Amino acid sequence: VTGSLHMGHAFNTALIDTIVRFQRLQGRNVLCLPGTDHASIAVQTILEKQLRAEGLRKEDLGRDAFLERAWAWKAESGGTIVAQLRRLGYSVDWQRERFTLDAGCSVAVIEAFNRLHEQGLIYRGEYLVNWCPASGSAVSDLEVEMQEVDGHLWHFRYPLSDGPAADGRTHLEVATTRPETLLGDTAVAVNPRDPRYAALVGQTLTLPLVGRQIPIVADDHVDAEFGTGCVKVTPAHDPNDFAIGQRHNLPLVTVMAKDGSMNEAAGRFAGLDRFEARKAVVAAMEAEGFLVKVENYRHSVPFSDRGKVPVEPLLSTQWFVKTEPLAARCREALEQADPRFVPERWAKVYRDWLTDIRDWCISRQLWWGHRIPAWFVVSETGGVITDSTPYVVARDASDALAKAEAQFGGGTHAHPLVLEQDPDALDTWFSSGLWPFSTLGWPEAGAADLERWYPTSVLVTGFDIIFFWVARMTMLAGAFTGKMPFRDVYIHGLVRDENNRKMSKSAGNGIDPLLLIDRYGADALRFALVREVAGAGQDIRLDYDRPSDTSATVEASRNFANKLWNVTRFALMNLAGETPATLGEPDPAVLAQEGRPLQLADRWILSRLARVNRETAERYQNYGLGEAAKGLYEFAWNEVCDWYVELIKRRLNPGENPTPAALADQRTARQVLAKVLSELLLMLHPLMPHLSEELWHGLTAQPQETFLALQRWPVADASACDDALEASFAALIEAIRVVRNLRAVAGLKPSQSVPVRFVTGRAPLAEALAAATADITALTRAERVEVLDPAAAAASPAAKALAGVCGDLQVLLPIEGLVDLDALRGRLEKDIAKADKEIKGLTGRLANPNFADKAPPEVVAECRANLAEAEAQAGLARRRLADLV
RNA sequence: GCCCGCUUAGCUCAGCGGUAGAGCGCCUGCCUUACAAGCAGGAUGUCGCUGGUUCGAACCCGGCAGCGGGCACCA
């Protein structure tokens, strides 16, 4: 609930909903449970910013009033997001909408915390954590982002306490990017094998400005090659130094407060902000002669993801989840591909993160979130919470009291037992990590939803969230349910802007999905996003023209939607009020019996339909969503609209006083058209739910309360698939193309009709062409169509004709006088060049003895056939060219 | 430093052993009664470079270069 939906959500939603709708069409009862998380730190940051604008701090309001504001924000922001998801057509069960802070999730969080604590998998302790001074809270390692910054490397002299060494040295030189931490130094470390310092290990230095005596220690962490080989050690302010400190039992001196200012331990620098303190320390060091030099230095600094300020490693008492046992279980499951990652390469990323994983700091010094279910027995420590105040972890306050009484006695009238709940909240991801089962009724034993739906089938999410969410879910699910929470994890990429930059609120380069929905429609946006995703797991770039708020990609999908609208309109105009149901299935046997058999075009489109059906179902099923979208786009536009519809127009309009045979055939065409279109709409439904639903209703005249969304995926008719038929139809299409091309080359007006003559020695092709003369006539504006074999053609030569060649098929347009000879010559020369090039390549291959020996026979045969065809084509074209002169 | 991805037509991207495709853009001609948000026709590529494997490589393997990303991080 951090604001509003962005294009990344739209993308994610489109993918999920496509899968959900497809599975529903498969007849499955699909649960897709919607909801939002409370985004603890992000929301609190937003609210505090609002408060600052009003000149207030959250402490001025108090916890309760602040939380009221937070809930108000949640209502507003959550409402916006839900409204946006609805506009996209997200077909989820809105009655089940959940929120990570709702009652059920809260029960789950408390239970989960208690159980992990009981198992020793949650502990409390003082460690160096990532402290975000901006939000005043600890954050996890994942919420820290390294950024390269231009800084300085300051070289300082630390004098030896006991005067000059044997070799006369009076000091060691150390370098640091953070001079202010010098105040907390408790040692200087050198490499144990560094001969330069071996004699000095164990001796003492006097820390400048502070005067503390600090030892010189030998530690492997130090790289003798880097800098002077001496490292100042500040265990309370640096993770590596902390580790060194542990190894050498060094004291921890914290010199900084939680707000990023220097504390009392910083002496004269106390009260200064950390960045001012840096300057002041440098100035003081210089003034006192300890500064050797300053270098410009580019280095990485940890930044808080949310606060956008450098994170401070600070010693702090926090709650942690011991992750290794949880991660081990996940790694083990992954060996059996549980869960299965799609694409598979993300499994490695997931596994690597789960290997050598560090413990998870789950407490946040925030108000908005699940309050930690731990109660401090403050009566034991004078009424306040200190690091040594004992605590109990419990399900609620009375449970806590009972536990505390058992542990500390009931207290007395004079000294009653007083408990106070930990004021801190949990990391949002702790509750998100329980989502797959907390939303299904866990921890209630035998919860019906949990039994029925858990573990889930698939999680669909972006790769940027594998660690934050996916891994947290699998770790917690493993601990509480003994199962991985989903069978598949379908990982998708990010949506990038027109300049290939990640869209983000802070960069201000987001593209508003609602704007594109307003302009092009929700289905167009969905289709465009899914269609771009063919290379699964890859980022997608949404092309976008910012000045006009237009997107060519989405526009293309809108045009496709429009095409579907128009072809359906065409069908409605031509079905004479009949529907797929009243027309009935076009069964070939029955139709033949009735004397109105399927024609070539019908059999072709039904063959294609069956094939596309199978391909598409397989693609949807295997997360090939982009391929499914592209395949349907091509089938609908290039095959159904461009060819099939054009071919049946005459049959649908047999003219005045049609014969009974023509009327019977009209019905056949109507049956096939109705079937193809209604099934196409069904197959498109997961991608374009609104449009397909509307058009399907128009086409089928189904009542309002019947939904396409709830129909079954059409059964693919395997018997309709016919390779030979598809091949000969392809040849027919090619022949028509050649005629059209010749007409264009000759510059014929569309209204001019001319005779068309095909000459071929291949009987099957001749038959197909002869059977389709009516179609060819219509599609090429032919005056008449003849199909001749070479002998017959020789008997009645058509001199000076427009001629084209396609394989061994000659296409002649005998229209002497109308011909643009130069254009025609060009066309033939082009044909010859193309054929020659092919001949050259194929001849070369066949001439290689190894090819004939080692290549599969069918490949060799195909090669020979292609060569023969190319030679025939070249020969025919040359002859035609010669005829022209 | 470790790991991953990408490099194909002007742009955005498919293809992943049999000799290159789509959408958009571009050129030509069309208001042909579903659709000009359309129809028909057309042009466009040493598939990053370089070795190798193979009868054959955009595709497989090695190296290099460039771009992008993740993880870790040296004071």
Side-chain angles (χ1 to χ4, degrees):
Chain A
V1 291
T2 50
S4 60
L5 202 109
H6 58 249
M7 198 55 79
H9 292 119
F11 182 41
N12 179 249
T13 301
L15 296 176
I16 294 175
D17 196 54
T18 299
I19 292 167
V20 163
R21 287 179 185 268
F22 171 70
Q23 293 296 346
R24 208 177 275 133
L25 293 178
Q26 292 293 305
R28 298 204 172 84
N29 187 3
V30 182
L31 170 63
C32 181
L33 194 148
T36 43
D37 77 54
H38 60 280
S40 180
I41 195 164
V43 167
Q44 182 147 344
T45 303
I46 292 167
L47 292 178
E48 288 192 46
K49 195 175 161 193
Q50 291 177 358
L51 283 175
R52 266 201 304 282
E54 297 168 33
L56 294 168
R57 292 170 311 132
K58 68 177 190 297
E59 288 75 14
D60 298 330
L61 263 70
R63 190 161 185 143
D64 291 343
F66 181 82
L67 289 180
E68 258 176 55
R69 276 195 175 226
W71 279 101
W73 166 269
K74 185 264 164 184
E76 187 192 327
S77 175
T80 304
I81 288 170
V82 166
Q84 290 172 315
L85 292 174
R86 282 175 187 269
R87 281 210 65 192
L88 272 166
Y90 205 18
S91 65
V92 298
D93 188 344
W94 289 109
Q95 281 152 329
R96 288 175 179 263
E97 187 188 341
R98 296 292 299 273
F99 178 53
T100 46
L101 274 177
D102 67 23
C105 287
S106 299
V107 166
V109 163
I110 289 168
E111 186 63 27
F113 190 98
N114 273 267
R115 288 197 199 172
L116 288 176
H117 184 257
E118 284 157 15
Q119 294 167 31
L121 293 173
I122 281 185
Y123 62 91
R124 179 176 160 83
E126 187 182 39
Y127 296 90
L128 208 55
V129 298
N130 304 301
W131 187 265
C132 170
S135 41
S137 174
V139 294
S140 73
D141 294 336
L142 285 180
E143 290 155 285
V144 173
E145 180 175 276
M146 300 306 267
Q147 277 182 33
E148 290 254 294
V149 297
D150 287 315
H152 301 282
L153 193 58
W154 285 273
H155 294 250
F156 296 132
R157 250 192 286 272
Y158 284 15
L160 285 158
S161 302
D162 303 326
D167 57 8
R169 271 183 289 181
T170 59
H171 62 268
L172 289 187
E173 188 181 320
V174 298
T176 183
T177 55
R178 307 198 50 202
E180 69 280 10
T181 64
L182 158 174
L183 306 167
D185 283 2
T186 54
V188 164
V190 298
N191 188 285
R193 281 169 301 280
D194 191 334
R196 294 173 292 177
Y197 306 111
L200 297 177
V201 172
Q203 292 199 29
T204 303
L205 298 161
T206 301
L207 183 61
L209 308 185
V210 179
R212 182 161 53 235
Q213 299 302 302
I214 59 174
I216 298 168
V217 300
D219 195 282
D220 279 324
H221 172 257
V222 180
D223 177 0
E225 307 295 313
F226 187 89
T228 59
C230 299
V231 184
K232 62 189 272 307
V233 182
T234 322
H237 292 281
D238 181 276
N240 289 307
D241 292 6
F242 182 82
I244 296 175
Q246 298 242 295
R247 288 193 285 271
H248 299 276
N249 235 332
L250 299 173
L252 296 153
V253 178
T254 298
V255 295
M256 207 177 286
K258 301 271 159 89
D259 63 356
S261 69
M262 307 308 286
N263 67 12
E264 332 60 77
R268 57 175 138 148
F269 302 98
L272 289 179
D273 170 78
R274 54 185 168 154
F275 300 110
E276 292 165 18
R278 178 172 300 173
K279 291 179 199 154
V281 166
V282 170
M285 290 294 277
E286 184 168 21
E288 299 187 22
F290 294 114
L291 178 66
V292 180
K293 62 175 172 179
V294 187
E295 293 173 308
N296 289 329
Y297 191 61
R298 192 168 174 78
H299 63 125
S300 298
V301 173
F303 273 70
S304 158
D305 248 1
R306 286 292 165 190
K308 305 294 173 201
V309 297
V311 151
E312 202 58 53
L314 265 193
L315 269 183
S316 169
T317 303
Q318 302 285 345
W319 294 92
F320 296 86
V321 171
K322 198 168 166 183
T323 45
E324 173 51 27
L326 303 178
R329 196 196 314 257
C330 293
R331 295 195 303 262
E332 209 172 294
L334 192 65
E335 303 269 315
Q336 312 320 314
D338 180 19
R340 172 181 154 237
F341 278 80
V342 180
E344 210 208 322
R345 65 190 159 92
W346 293 109
K348 183 174 158 55
V349 174
Y350 165 80
R351 188 182 53 237
D352 287 351
W353 190 71
L354 288 170
T355 307
D356 297 325
I357 188 170
R358 280 184 288 175
D359 284 353
W360 174 17
C361 175
I362 51 171
S363 43
R364 298 288 179 274
Q365 286 60 56
L366 301 169
W367 286 352
W368 176 238
H370 297 277
R371 200 156 166 184
I372 291 172
W375 280 261
F376 290 98
V377 189
V378 291
S379 45
E380 295 289 308
T381 50
V384 293
I385 301 172
T386 71
D387 283 351
S388 56
T389 306
Y391 59 84
V392 291
V393 170
R395 264 82 178 168
D396 55 38
S398 62
D399 179 29
L401 190 60
K403 282 181 171 163
E405 280 172 353
Q407 225 174 314
F408 301 98
T412 63
H413 245 312
H415 301 286
L417 204 55
V418 182
L419 301 190
E420 200 177 312
Q421 188 174 0
D422 191 326
D424 290 350
L426 285 165
D427 182 359
T428 301
W429 297 105
F430 188 84
S431 51
S432 301
L434 306 172
W435 186 266
F437 44 99
S438 66
T439 54
L440 294 177
W442 189 90
E444 186 201 317
D449 282 347
L450 200 61
E451 294 291 314
R452 174 155 190 190
W453 302 107
Y454 189 86
T456 69
S457 309
V458 58
L459 171 79
V460 180
T461 197
F463 66 77
D464 55 329
I465 221 134
I466 290 174
F467 308 146
F468 280 112
W469 197 31
V470 180
R472 263 77 177 266
M473 284 193 281
T474 57
M475 286 196 291
L476 293 172
F480 295 119
T481 70
K483 291 173 189 161
M484 291 294 105
F486 15 75
R487 185 192 62 221
D488 296 343
V489 180
Y490 175 44
I491 298 290
H492 61 249
L494 271 30
V495 183
R496 316 194 79 102
D497 74 359
E498 69 278 16
N499 298 313
N500 206 23
R501 275 190 307 235
K502 185 176 164 176
M503 285 190 207
S504 78
K505 211 173 282 182
S506 52
N509 64 338
I511 300 171
D512 183 359
L514 291 187
L515 200 67
L516 291 177
I517 289 176
D518 287 341
R519 190 179 295 275
Y520 301 112
D523 286 7
L525 177 62
R526 289 173 58 124
F527 195 83
L529 289 170
V530 176
R531 197 174 169 217
E532 289 296 311
V533 80
Q538 223 56 45
D539 288 352
I540 63 169
R541 193 190 302 201
L542 191 67
D543 88 69
Y544 191 65
D545 183 58
R546 232 163 253 283
S548 64
D549 286 324
T550 56
S551 163
T553 307
V554 184
E555 189 176 317
S557 291
R558 187 274 315 267
N559 292 350
F560 178 54
N562 203 74
K563 190 76 178 173
L564 293 169
W565 179 274
N566 279 315
V567 74
T568 305
R569 205 154 67 98
F570 171 82
L572 291 177
M573 290 167 66
N574 285 282
L575 293 181
E578 297 234 53
T579 66
T582 63
L583 288 162
E585 273 283 311
D587 181 289
V590 174
L591 295 183
Q593 206 169 19
E594 292 176 2
R596 49 186 191 94
L598 291 175
Q599 302 209 1
L600 179 69
D602 299 329
R603 287 188 289 132
W604 170 72
I605 201 69
L606 290 173
S607 178
R608 292 293 309 137
L609 178 70
R611 227 182 276 280
V612 168
N613 178 317
R614 281 200 310 227
E615 270 172 18
T616 306
E618 201 198 308
R619 288 166 173 171
Y620 277 138
Q621 184 64 47
N622 298 317
Y623 307 106
L625 305 185
E627 292 164 275
K630 283 179 202 174
L632 288 172
Y633 178 99
E634 281 165 24
F635 175 66
W637 201 317
N638 301 341
E639 301 190 299
V640 176
C641 291
D642 287 351
W643 288 100
Y644 185 66
V645 166
E646 291 305 324
L647 281 166
I648 62 170
K649 275 182 175 170
R650 288 164 304 103
R651 297 165 61 200
L652 293 171
N653 288 297
E656 314 229 329
N657 306 317
T659 63
L663 279 175
D665 182 55
Q666 179 190 47
R667 187 169 181 82
T668 301
R670 282 178 178 169
Q671 279 178 289
V672 176
L673 175 64
K675 176 186 168 74
V676 170
L677 197 52
S678 61
E679 293 190 3
L680 172 64
L681 291 172
L682 248 164
M683 293 192 288
L684 276 165
H685 177 258
L687 298 159
M688 308 187 110
H690 305 94
L691 179 71
S692 58
E693 187 76 56
E694 176 70 15
L695 296 180
W696 184 79
H697 274 268
L699 191 65
T700 60
Q702 288 285 341
Q704 200 68 41
E705 61 274 16
T706 301
F707 288 97
L708 170 64
L710 299 178
Q711 301 306 303
R712 290 299 161 84
W713 185 263
V715 176
D717 179 5
S719 69
C721 291
D722 186 337
D723 289 335
L725 179 94
E726 286 187 32
S728 62
F729 200 83
L732 172 62
I733 287 177
E734 206 40 54
I736 291 172
R737 287 224 165 102
V738 173
V739 176
R740 284 172 170 171
N741 175 260
L742 286 174
R743 291 183 55 108
V745 165
L748 289 177
K749 289 247 164 15
S751 53
Q752 274 177 289
S753 103
V754 296
V756 173
R757 169 182 284 195
F758 294 113
V759 179
T760 178
R762 242 195 303 163
L765 177 58
E767 275 169 39
L769 291 170
T773 51
D775 293 331
I776 296 166
T777 305
L779 296 184
T780 63
R781 294 272 174 137
E783 186 184 301
R784 60 174 189 280
V785 175
E786 308 173 282
V787 183
L788 303 176
D789 63 30
S796 72
K800 296 283 159 59
L802 267 174
V805 177
C806 158
D808 69 346
L809 175 71
Q810 290 184 72
V811 181
L812 302 169
L813 272 53
I815 44 167
E816 217 169 323
L818 289 172
V819 184
D820 175 344
L821 283 180
D822 284 339
L824 183 55
R825 202 172 286 123
R827 149 97 208 186
L828 285 168
E829 275 163 358
K830 210 183 95 190
D831 283 350
I832 293 166
K834 200 176 155 195
D836 281 349
K837 193 183 162 201
E838 206 179 337
I839 290 166
K840 199 179 159 203
L842 291 167
T843 313
R845 265 165 86 187
L846 287 163
N848 183 341
N850 286 326
F851 176 69
D853 286 352
K854 300 193 180 172
E858 63 271 21
V859 172
V860 179
E862 194 189 328
C863 219
R864 291 224 164 82
N866 289 344
L867 179 59
E869 189 168 314
E871 277 170 341
Q873 173 151 356
L876 291 171
R878 285 210 163 81
R879 237 165 294 147
R880 279 290 150 201
L881 190 57
D883 287 348
L884 276 184
V885 190

